[in-house]
Amino acid sequence: MTCGGCSGAVERVLKKLEGVKSYNVSLESQTADITAEPSLPYETVLEKIKKTGKKVNSGEKDGETMAV
């Protein structure tokens, strides 16, 4: 994420994604911290973020490193 439009795109998909309880998208640190219901798969969140055209460099679920 290199601009406000980039982080805004990620925020918009997270806002619409059912099961997302909260999120914090930081342009400065280029991260997105997401808290979701247990029923929302990690892969679904990852897919939605990737569909915005943003590159995902790393992922973590419950403190465990996940594939991206």
Side-chain angles (χ1 to χ4, degrees):
M1 297 181 292
T2 57
C3 67
C6 296
S7 58
V10 174
E11 287 178 346
R12 284 189 294 277
V13 298
L14 294 174
K15 185 176 185 176
K16 294 178 183 178
L17 187 56
E18 190 172 324
V20 172
K21 293 165 60 175
S22 65
Y23 57 87
N24 180 32
V25 178
S26 171
L27 180 58
E28 184 178 310
S29 64
Q30 297 190 11
T31 60
D33 294 318
I34 303 153
T35 303
E37 298 289 341
S39 59
L40 180 60
Y42 166 83
E43 295 78 15
T44 300
V45 176
L46 183 63
E47 176 186 321
K48 293 292 184 181
I49 293 172
K50 285 182 174 182
K51 281 188 176 183
T52 68
K54 308 307 165 238
K55 182 180 178 187
V56 177
N57 294 320
S58 63
E60 190 177 294
K61 176 183 176 189
D62 298 328
E64 181 181 334
T65 300
M66 302 292 288
V68 293

